[in-house]
Amino acid sequence: MTIFRICFIIRLFLKYLGWGDVFRRWFLPCWVVGAAASFALPVVPHWSFWLAAFAVFAVSARRFAFAGLMLCVLAGAVYGVFRTEAALSSQWRAEAVSGVPLTVEVTDMPRLDGRRVQFAAKAVDSGGRTFDLLLSDYKRREWAVGSRWRITARVHPVVGELNLRGLNREAWALSNGIGGAGTVGADRVLLHDGSGWGLRFGAAVSAVIGGRRMRTAGFQTASG
């Protein structure tokens, strides 16, 4: 259930109670409080806890305005937990792994910084899991947008890479949907060359607007 559906249900419920003005005035502040509080949870409660909390506040809201506001806080907390769990589930495994066989599709314009070519790719491992990776090629080979390759790479997670000074790599990666970073090995096999007017047009657009996610100040430093 998306946050929009949750908001719609809570709005209907509060409107049913005659608290439409309360919703319009206080929902967003309470939702932000709930979303922020979700990051401070030491553990993620079981789904039954969320249902029980919703039921208690929904019943109490018929008599107490505070309970209605807590429904809004609960909606923000549910959203925060859901987004965090979704982001963490798409992250690379906890340890760095060398020589990982991957099938990758280049999804953004490669960028040459002198030492390497860096690009975003949709990667599939041998187990069928899909990751959005930021890959570096120190051989500076060509990687056409839309091309698909079979490669080996050394991949490491970005979650846990805290930098107290300068770029926060973990926050940067999570906000940009990056599941891991890695270095491409020497061997690669072309599976699809990424030709076609649609892909060329997409590459041109990506070049003009500066890329979908990698054109940030931290592009060059995010993977070390």
Side-chain angles (χ1 to χ4, degrees), residues 12-94:
L12 288 180
F13 182 73
L14 294 181
K15 187 176 181 180
Y16 167 74
L17 297 177
W19 294 351
D21 291 338
V22 173
F23 179 89
R24 285 190 295 270
R25 181 176 303 177
W26 295 104
F27 174 78
L28 184 58
C30 291
W31 182 88
V32 171
V33 169
S38 69
F39 297 107
L41 291 174
V43 294
V44 178
H46 191 264
W47 61 267
S48 59
F49 168 84
W50 301 106
L51 290 179
F54 182 85
V56 169
F57 289 134
V59 171
S60 301
R62 297 180 62 88
R63 298 184 58 186
F64 305 104
F66 175 76
L69 296 179
M70 288 304 298
L71 280 177
C72 301
V73 174
L74 185 64
V78 170
Y79 177 78
V81 169
F82 170 77
R83 289 301 302 267
T84 301
E85 290 295 305
L88 292 178
S89 66
S90 64
Q91 292 296 304
W92 187 259
R93 61 202 70 161

XYZ file of all heavy atoms in Angstrom, residues 12-94:
661
model
N -10.095 10.293 4.689
C -11.518 9.935 4.688
C -12.007 9.670 6.109
O -13.120 10.057 6.470
C -11.743 8.709 3.806
C -11.622 8.913 2.290
C -11.881 7.595 1.563
C -12.596 9.987 1.808
N -11.149 8.997 6.881
C -11.554 8.670 8.238
C -11.732 9.931 9.075
O -12.720 10.082 9.808
C -10.523 7.738 8.876
C -10.865 7.306 10.265
C -11.883 6.384 10.495
C -10.181 7.822 11.360
C -12.207 5.984 11.777
C -10.487 7.423 12.643
C -11.508 6.507 12.852
N -10.764 10.858 8.993
C -10.876 12.089 9.757
C -12.013 12.970 9.253
O -12.645 13.682 10.034
C -9.544 12.854 9.704
C -8.352 12.171 10.389
C -7.112 13.033 10.276
C -8.657 11.860 11.848
N -12.260 12.902 7.941
C -13.394 13.659 7.404
C -14.704 13.079 7.929
O -15.660 13.812 8.229
C -13.362 13.620 5.874
C -14.408 14.520 5.228
C -14.255 14.505 3.714
C -15.299 15.430 3.063
N -15.161 15.433 1.580
N -14.747 11.764 8.052
C -15.919 11.100 8.606
C -16.167 11.557 10.042
O -17.310 11.714 10.488
C -15.720 9.582 8.553
C -16.713 8.796 9.369
C -18.036 8.635 8.948
C -16.324 8.210 10.577
C -18.939 7.914 9.716
C -17.213 7.486 11.342
C -18.537 7.347 10.910
O -19.425 6.631 11.666
N -15.073 11.807 10.778
C -15.189 12.281 12.148
C -15.450 13.789 12.213
O -15.612 14.336 13.301
C -13.914 11.951 12.930
C -13.586 10.463 13.107
C -12.256 10.319 13.831
C -14.686 9.742 13.873
N -15.453 14.429 11.046
C -15.656 15.876 11.017
C -14.399 16.669 11.286
O -14.466 17.831 11.690
N -13.225 16.058 11.048
C -11.955 16.695 11.330
C -11.183 17.016 10.057
O -9.954 16.898 10.009
C -11.092 15.805 12.238
C -11.667 15.633 13.598
C -12.739 16.299 14.132
C -11.222 14.731 14.607
N -12.987 15.877 15.403
C -12.059 14.902 15.733
C -10.202 13.798 14.686
C -11.917 14.179 16.895
C -10.045 13.086 15.840
C -10.898 13.270 16.941
N -11.892 17.420 9.019
C -11.216 17.745 7.769
C -10.228 18.879 7.931
O -9.134 18.864 7.356
N -10.571 19.890 8.733
C -9.660 21.011 8.961
C -8.411 20.564 9.708
O -7.309 21.072 9.457
C -10.368 22.104 9.761
C -11.466 22.784 8.949
O -11.392 22.711 7.704
O -12.383 23.368 9.568
N -8.583 19.625 10.627
C -7.433 19.096 11.362
C -6.469 18.422 10.409
O -5.238 18.595 10.498
C -7.897 18.107 12.457
C -6.700 17.415 13.106
C -8.734 18.838 13.498
N -7.026 17.659 9.470
C -6.176 16.960 8.508
C -5.375 17.950 7.671
O -4.169 17.809 7.498
C -7.032 16.071 7.599
C -6.231 15.332 6.551
C -5.697 14.092 6.829
C -6.014 15.891 5.295
C -4.958 13.416 5.872
C -5.278 15.218 4.334
C -4.753 13.979 4.629
N -6.049 18.952 7.130
C -5.377 19.909 6.249
C -4.304 20.694 6.983
O -3.269 21.033 6.417
C -6.411 20.863 5.640
C -7.257 20.233 4.545
C -8.073 21.287 3.819
N -9.074 21.912 4.697
C -10.301 21.460 4.841
N -10.696 20.380 4.182
N -11.159 22.079 5.646
N -4.522 20.976 8.252
C -3.592 21.824 8.987
C -2.447 21.056 9.600
O -1.315 21.557 9.651
C -4.360 22.572 10.073
C -3.493 23.521 10.906
C -4.343 24.296 11.884
N -5.400 25.059 11.227
C -6.312 25.777 11.878
N -6.300 25.799 13.205
N -7.236 26.437 11.220
N -2.712 19.842 10.074
C -1.730 19.139 10.877
C -1.171 17.870 10.262
O -0.224 17.284 10.815
C -2.320 18.793 12.248
C -2.635 19.993 13.069
C -3.860 20.542 13.317
C -1.692 20.827 13.736
N -3.756 21.649 14.104
C -2.425 21.851 14.382
C -0.296 20.808 13.859
C -1.800 22.837 15.132
C 0.322 21.789 14.601
C -0.437 22.788 15.225
N -1.721 17.418 9.145
C -1.248 16.145 8.629
C 0.228 16.196 8.246
O 1.021 15.341 8.648
C -2.068 15.687 7.417
C -1.503 14.441 6.790
C -1.720 13.206 7.369
C -0.714 14.523 5.644
C -1.178 12.060 6.813
C -0.177 13.382 5.087
C -0.407 12.149 5.664
N 0.615 17.182 7.442
C 2.000 17.230 6.967
C 3.008 17.341 8.102
O 3.989 16.574 8.127
C 2.181 18.367 5.966
C 3.576 18.461 5.314
C 3.899 17.156 4.601
C 3.640 19.637 4.353
N 2.831 18.252 9.086
C 3.802 18.288 10.198
C 3.874 16.972 10.960
O 4.968 16.508 11.303
C 3.281 19.425 11.085
C 2.493 20.296 10.165
C 1.849 19.360 9.193
N 2.715 16.359 11.212
C 2.713 15.087 11.944
C 3.341 13.970 11.114
O 4.054 13.109 11.644
C 1.285 14.707 12.335
S 0.554 15.777 13.593
N 3.094 13.997 9.806
C 3.674 12.979 8.918
C 5.194 13.094 8.903
O 5.903 12.082 8.952
C 3.102 13.160 7.519
C 3.583 12.140 6.538
C 3.039 10.920 6.272
C 4.722 12.260 5.673
N 3.758 10.273 5.310
C 4.805 11.074 4.926
C 5.672 13.257 5.467
C 5.799 10.864 3.973
C 6.681 13.042 4.533
C 6.722 11.856 3.802
N 5.707 14.316 8.839
C 7.164 14.531 8.848
C 7.768 14.044 10.159
O 8.832 13.409 10.167
C 7.485 16.025 8.622
C 8.976 16.281 8.843
C 7.085 16.444 7.210
N 7.098 14.305 11.274
C 7.575 13.830 12.566
C 7.643 12.305 12.583
O 8.625 11.709 13.041
C 6.658 14.338 13.700
C 6.984 13.629 15.023
C 6.803 15.842 13.867
N 6.607 11.654 12.055
C 6.597 10.198 12.025
C 7.682 9.631 11.136
O 8.359 8.646 11.498
N 7.886 10.229 9.951
C 8.921 9.749 9.036
C 10.302 9.909 9.660
O 11.152 9.008 9.564
C 8.834 10.500 7.710
N 10.539 11.051 10.309
C 11.841 11.274 10.956
C 12.046 10.316 12.121
O 13.147 9.785 12.324
C 11.943 12.723 11.423
N 10.979 10.074 12.894
C 11.095 9.181 14.045
C 11.378 7.743 13.623
O 11.993 6.981 14.381
C 9.816 9.238 14.880
N 10.945 7.360 12.417
C 11.150 5.983 11.967
C 12.630 5.638 11.847
O 13.031 4.487 12.013
C 10.453 5.756 10.625
O 11.094 6.476 9.579
N 13.478 6.646 11.569
C 14.913 6.394 11.430
C 15.584 6.175 12.781
O 16.729 5.708 12.825
C 15.580 7.561 10.700
C 15.085 7.742 9.295
C 14.260 8.800 8.968
C 15.420 6.837 8.302
C 13.794 8.964 7.677
C 14.961 6.990 7.006
C 14.143 8.062 6.692
N 14.903 6.534 13.851
C 15.471 6.358 15.184
C 15.040 5.042 15.825
O 15.462 4.745 16.949
C 15.069 7.527 16.085
N 14.216 4.261 15.148
C 13.759 2.998 15.720
C 14.922 2.022 15.849
O 15.637 1.772 14.868
C 12.665 2.382 14.835
C 11.318 3.117 14.788
C 10.400 2.456 13.761
C 10.652 3.124 16.156
N 15.141 1.439 17.021
C 16.242 0.471 17.170
C 15.989 -0.811 16.390
O 16.926 -1.445 15.901
C 16.281 0.214 18.680
C 14.897 0.564 19.162
C 14.418 1.672 18.279
N 14.722 -1.208 16.279
C 14.329 -2.383 15.488
C 13.042 -2.035 14.757
O 12.294 -1.149 15.172
C 14.117 -3.636 16.370
C 15.415 -4.079 17.004
C 13.052 -3.374 17.430
N 12.789 -2.758 13.673
C 11.550 -2.566 12.925
C 10.470 -3.437 13.545
O 10.615 -4.668 13.589
C 11.731 -2.938 11.440
C 10.419 -2.787 10.688
C 12.802 -2.056 10.813
N 9.393 -2.849 14.050
C 8.338 -3.652 14.674
C 7.670 -4.597 13.671
O 7.658 -4.345 12.464
C 7.340 -2.594 15.174
C 8.115 -1.319 15.244
C 9.121 -1.404 14.144
N 7.119 -5.671 14.204
C 6.369 -6.622 13.377
C 5.130 -5.937 12.819
O 4.606 -4.982 13.403
C 5.980 -7.832 14.235
C 5.448 -8.982 13.447
N 4.097 -9.192 13.274
C 6.073 -9.975 12.765
C 3.917 -10.277 12.543
N 5.100 -10.769 12.216
N 4.654 -6.445 11.671
C 3.498 -5.814 11.022
C 2.275 -5.796 11.931
O 1.425 -4.907 11.835
C 3.171 -6.527 9.718
C 2.796 -7.978 9.861
C 3.622 -9.049 9.774
C 1.492 -8.494 10.123
N 2.930 -10.215 9.968
C 1.609 -9.908 10.179
C 0.233 -7.915 10.311
C 0.518 -10.730 10.430
C -0.852 -8.750 10.556
C -0.714 -10.132 10.617
N 2.186 -6.778 12.839
C 1.035 -6.812 13.746
C 1.035 -5.601 14.681
O -0.031 -5.134 15.097
C 1.046 -8.106 14.559
O 2.236 -8.232 15.316
N 2.220 -5.091 15.010
C 2.306 -3.898 15.853
C 1.687 -2.702 15.132
O 0.951 -1.915 15.741
C 3.763 -3.606 16.197
C 3.965 -2.246 16.821
C 3.774 -2.063 18.178
C 4.337 -1.151 16.039
C 3.961 -0.812 18.750
C 4.519 0.103 16.605
C 4.325 0.267 17.961
N 1.990 -2.556 13.834
C 1.434 -1.441 13.076
C -0.083 -1.523 12.997
O -0.782 -0.513 13.141
C 2.037 -1.412 11.669
C 3.529 -1.265 11.646
C 4.446 -2.233 11.349
C 4.287 -0.084 11.949
N 5.712 -1.742 11.446
C 5.652 -0.422 11.800
C 3.943 1.214 12.329
C 6.657 0.501 12.020
C 4.949 2.136 12.541
C 6.286 1.778 12.390
N -0.592 -2.747 12.773
C -2.047 -2.918 12.699
C -2.703 -2.604 14.036
O -3.752 -1.946 14.089
C -2.378 -4.348 12.268
C -2.056 -4.719 10.814
C -2.434 -6.180 10.549
C -2.785 -3.798 9.845
N -2.076 -3.079 15.115
C -2.643 -2.827 16.438
C -2.622 -1.335 16.768
O -3.607 -0.794 17.300
C -1.858 -3.614 17.490
N -1.511 -0.669 16.448
C -1.419 0.761 16.715
C -2.449 1.538 15.911
O -3.104 2.457 16.419
C -0.009 1.261 16.398
N -2.605 1.160 14.643
C -3.592 1.837 13.802
C -4.999 1.637 14.362
O -5.809 2.578 14.409
C -3.520 1.301 12.370
C -4.473 1.977 11.429
C -4.142 3.164 10.801
C -5.726 1.422 11.168
C -5.026 3.790 9.938
C -6.618 2.030 10.311
C -6.263 3.230 9.696
N -5.298 0.406 14.782
C -6.626 0.117 15.316
C -6.893 0.915 16.593
O -7.978 1.478 16.771
C -6.758 -1.380 15.577
N -5.900 0.983 17.484
C -6.077 1.712 18.753
C -6.322 3.191 18.495
O -7.251 3.800 19.057
C -4.851 1.509 19.661
C -4.908 2.465 20.857
C -4.779 0.065 20.144
N -5.507 3.780 17.633
C -5.655 5.216 17.360
C -6.944 5.503 16.590
O -7.586 6.543 16.795
C -4.454 5.737 16.584
C -3.196 5.808 17.398
C -1.999 5.325 16.891
C -3.209 6.357 18.669
C -0.834 5.394 17.646
C -2.051 6.425 19.434
C -0.866 5.938 18.913
N -7.332 4.569 15.703
C -8.558 4.780 14.938
C -9.781 4.764 15.851
O -10.693 5.592 15.710
C -8.691 3.705 13.861
N -9.791 3.841 16.814
C -10.912 3.775 17.749
C -10.906 4.992 18.679
O -11.945 5.614 18.936
C -10.852 2.465 18.564
C -11.887 2.488 19.679
C -11.074 1.265 17.651
N -9.717 5.356 19.158
C -9.621 6.483 20.091
C -9.894 7.819 19.417
O -10.287 8.785 20.090
C -8.224 6.514 20.718
O -7.953 5.302 21.404
N -9.687 7.873 18.095
C -9.865 9.142 17.385
C -11.309 9.622 17.396
O -11.575 10.801 17.163
C -9.375 8.996 15.943
N -12.236 8.730 17.660
C -13.636 9.137 17.719
C -13.906 10.046 18.915
O -14.878 10.808 18.914
C -14.548 7.907 17.779
C -14.460 7.013 16.546
C -15.385 5.811 16.673
N -16.785 6.251 16.779
C -17.580 6.475 15.737
N -17.103 6.328 14.498
N -18.820 6.859 15.910
N -13.010 9.976 19.934
C -13.220 10.788 21.148
C -12.098 11.787 21.389
O -12.318 12.815 22.009
C -13.352 9.870 22.360
C -14.541 8.927 22.296
C -14.652 8.125 23.576
N -14.783 8.983 24.766
C -14.774 8.538 26.019
N -14.623 7.235 26.243
N -14.903 9.382 27.032
N -10.896 11.468 20.903
C -9.743 12.313 21.217
C -9.055 12.776 19.940
O -8.659 11.953 19.095
C -8.733 11.542 22.088
C -9.334 10.974 23.342
C -9.612 9.616 23.428
C -9.627 11.796 24.424
C -10.163 9.081 24.573
C -10.171 11.268 25.580
C -10.451 9.907 25.655
N -8.918 14.089 19.790
C -8.253 14.644 18.603
C -6.789 14.227 18.541
O -6.226 14.052 17.458
C -8.365 16.166 18.601
N -6.178 14.050 19.721
C -4.767 13.659 19.753
C -4.553 12.321 19.035
O -3.541 12.126 18.353
C -4.295 13.555 21.205
C -2.898 13.037 21.354
C -1.812 13.859 21.092
C -2.672 11.716 21.741
C -0.516 13.377 21.223
C -1.388 11.238 21.875
C -0.308 12.058 21.617
N -5.491 11.400 19.189
C -5.363 10.099 18.534
C -5.418 10.247 17.020
O -4.732 9.531 16.287
C -6.466 9.156 19.017
N -6.230 11.192 16.531
C -6.266 11.439 15.095
C -4.945 11.952 14.582
O -4.485 11.566 13.496
N -4.305 12.826 15.351
C -2.988 13.318 14.959
C -1.950 12.195 14.992
O -1.046 12.145 14.155
C -2.560 14.452 15.888
C -3.424 15.714 15.856
C -2.894 16.742 16.853
C -3.484 16.298 14.454
N -2.100 11.283 15.941
C -1.167 10.157 16.013
C -1.313 9.227 14.822
O -0.360 8.551 14.422
C -1.369 9.383 17.314
C -0.870 10.118 18.549
S 0.877 10.595 18.439
C 1.663 8.989 18.306
N -2.516 9.181 14.225
C -2.684 8.425 12.986
C -1.814 9.018 11.886
O -1.224 8.283 11.081
C -4.155 8.424 12.555
C -5.092 7.450 13.248
C -6.516 7.652 12.741
C -4.650 6.009 12.997
N -1.744 10.342 11.848
C -0.902 11.002 10.852
C 0.571 10.709 11.114
O 1.348 10.470 10.188
C -1.152 12.504 10.861
S -2.858 12.987 10.519
N 0.965 10.727 12.399
C 2.342 10.379 12.749
C 2.645 8.934 12.355
O 3.716 8.621 11.813
C 2.579 10.581 14.257
C 3.972 10.082 14.664
C 2.421 12.046 14.625
N 1.696 8.050 12.591
C 1.864 6.641 12.250
C 2.039 6.460 10.748
O 2.840 5.635 10.301
C 0.661 5.840 12.749
C 0.732 4.320 12.572
C 1.867 3.749 13.404
C -0.592 3.675 12.971
N 1.279 7.224 9.952
C 1.415 7.137 8.499
C 2.825 7.524 8.066
O 3.423 6.869 7.197
C 0.383 8.040 7.821
N 3.379 8.574 8.671
C 4.746 8.969 8.340
C 5.761 7.919 8.744
O 6.716 7.643 8.013
N 5.555 7.296 9.903
C 6.478 6.261 10.364
C 6.444 5.046 9.450
O 7.487 4.467 9.126
C 6.143 5.866 11.801
N 5.239 4.643 9.042
C 5.105 3.497 8.131
C 5.824 3.789 6.817
O 6.538 2.941 6.270
C 3.620 3.183 7.883
C 3.465 2.176 6.751
C 2.971 2.645 9.149
N 5.650 4.997 6.304
C 6.311 5.369 5.057
C 7.830 5.345 5.208
O 8.550 4.822 4.345
C 5.858 6.758 4.632
C 6.558 7.257 3.391
C 6.180 6.817 2.129
C 7.607 8.176 3.489
C 6.831 7.275 0.996
C 8.263 8.636 2.359
C 7.870 8.186 1.110
O 8.516 8.639 -0.015
N 8.341 5.901 6.317
C 9.777 5.915 6.532
C 10.362 4.521 6.622
O 11.408 4.232 6.028
N 9.693 3.641 7.351
C 10.171 2.259 7.483
C 10.121 1.545 6.136
O 11.072 0.839 5.756
C 9.329 1.509 8.527
C 9.625 0.006 8.486
C 9.606 2.050 9.921
N 9.031 1.742 5.394
C 8.883 1.075 4.108
C 9.980 1.508 3.133
O 10.607 0.681 2.478
C 7.508 1.389 3.514
C 7.333 0.941 2.091
C 7.104 -0.393 1.791
C 7.420 1.854 1.044
C 6.957 -0.806 0.469
C 7.271 1.448 -0.269
C 7.034 0.113 -0.558
N 10.228 2.812 3.038
C 11.244 3.303 2.111
C 12.645 2.858 2.519
O 13.474 2.510 1.660
C 11.179 4.829 2.024
C 9.966 5.362 1.293
C 9.912 4.834 -0.138
N 11.105 5.188 -0.888
C 11.228 6.276 -1.641
N 10.208 7.134 -1.724
N 12.335 6.520 -2.305
N 12.915 2.841 3.820
C 14.227 2.401 4.288
C 14.443 0.928 3.994
O 15.513 0.519 3.508
C 14.375 2.660 5.796
O 14.209 4.059 6.046
C 15.736 2.222 6.291
N 13.441 0.100 4.282
C 13.559 -1.328 4.013
C 13.719 -1.601 2.525
O 14.498 -2.470 2.113
C 12.330 -2.069 4.554
C 12.253 -2.119 6.067
C 13.386 -2.931 6.663
O 13.558 -4.104 6.290
O 14.122 -2.368 7.488
N 12.983 -0.854 1.694
C 13.092 -1.030 0.244
C 14.488 -0.655 -0.244
O 15.065 -1.335 -1.102
C 12.031 -0.188 -0.469
N 15.041 0.430 0.302
C 16.381 0.857 -0.116
C 17.441 -0.139 0.329
O 18.347 -0.486 -0.434
C 16.681 2.243 0.459
N 17.326 -0.642 1.557
C 18.324 -1.579 2.063
C 18.238 -2.934 1.369
O 19.252 -3.609 1.185
C 18.159 -1.756 3.575
C 18.505 -0.534 4.427
C 18.243 -0.830 5.898
C 19.948 -0.101 4.218
N 17.046 -3.343 0.957
C 16.892 -4.637 0.296
C 17.537 -4.657 -1.085
O 17.830 -5.733 -1.617
C 15.405 -5.001 0.171
O 14.737 -4.094 -0.696
N 17.762 -3.485 -1.673
C 18.381 -3.417 -2.996
C 19.887 -3.201 -2.917
O 20.542 -3.002 -3.937
C 17.748 -2.276 -3.810
O 18.004 -1.015 -3.211
N 20.452 -3.246 -1.696
C 21.881 -3.026 -1.528
C 22.674 -4.307 -1.746
O 22.185 -5.416 -1.539
C 22.166 -2.492 -0.121
C 21.633 -1.094 0.128
C 22.296 -0.068 -0.752
O 23.521 0.066 -0.753
N 21.494 0.672 -1.494
N 23.905 -4.123 -2.173
C 24.818 -5.255 -2.320
C 25.073 -5.894 -0.970
O 24.931 -5.244 0.071
C 26.133 -4.777 -2.945
C 27.086 -5.881 -3.288
C 28.179 -6.269 -2.586
C 27.014 -6.756 -4.414
N 28.804 -7.333 -3.186
C 28.105 -7.654 -4.319
C 26.132 -6.866 -5.488
C 28.337 -8.646 -5.268
C 26.356 -7.854 -6.433
C 27.443 -8.733 -6.326
N 25.412 -7.179 -0.973
C 25.666 -7.907 0.274
C 26.707 -7.197 1.132
O 27.451 -6.337 0.649
C 26.124 -9.323 -0.068
C 27.394 -9.375 -0.859
C 27.549 -10.666 -1.638
N 26.598 -10.758 -2.737
C 26.754 -11.590 -3.766
N 27.763 -12.416 -3.809
N 25.863 -11.620 -4.738
N 26.763 -7.558 2.392
C 27.497 -6.776 3.381
C 29.005 -6.733 3.155
O 29.672 -5.823 3.615
C 27.210 -7.323 4.784
